[in-house]
């Protein structure tokens, strides 16, 4: 027995432009804008810059290392 979970359609990825299939109900919710999680992450990084900011804080070593013995 086959159960269908709603109608689907082909949409264009908001990051790379590749076509992908998504449920119509998800699109109405504002979901299913990207063809993959990696495309979503790339677009989100361009928008927020969170990963780049995190890498900068690691380079400055803002937090003590467990190996240094400074953390109790």
């Amino acid at each position: 027995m086959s159960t269908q979970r709603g109608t689907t359609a082909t949409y264009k990825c908001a990051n790379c432009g590749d076509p992908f299939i998504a449920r119509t109900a998800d699109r109405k919710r504002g979901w299913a804008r990207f063809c993959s999680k990696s495309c979503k992450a790339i677009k989100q990084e361009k928008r927020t810059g969170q990963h780049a900011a995190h890498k900068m804080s690691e380079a400055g070593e803002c937090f003590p290392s467990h190996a240094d013995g400074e953390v109790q």
Side-chain angles (χ1 to χ4, degrees):
M1 178 162 80
S2 174
T3 59
Q4 187 174 357
R5 298 188 55 147
T7 60
T8 60
T10 302
Y11 300 98
K12 184 175 147 185
C13 178
N15 182 52
C16 68
D18 286 349
F20 69 100
I21 297 172
R23 289 181 13 171
T24 305
D26 289 343
R27 292 288 292 197
K28 287 181 181 179
R29 289 183 182 99
W31 303 347
R33 293 179 44 222
F34 304 96
C35 64
S36 65
K37 286 185 178 184
S38 59
C39 269
K40 182 194 182 304
I42 291 166
K43 187 75 168 190
Q44 184 173 344
E45 174 60 21
K46 286 178 187 175
R47 185 175 51 85
T48 66
Q50 284 181 332
H51 184 69
H54 175 70
K55 292 303 250 183
M56 292 286 286
S57 70
E58 278 185 352
E61 295 188 36
C62 296
F63 304 103
S65 169
H66 292 289
D68 294 336
E70 299 172 9
V71 179
Q72 295 180 348

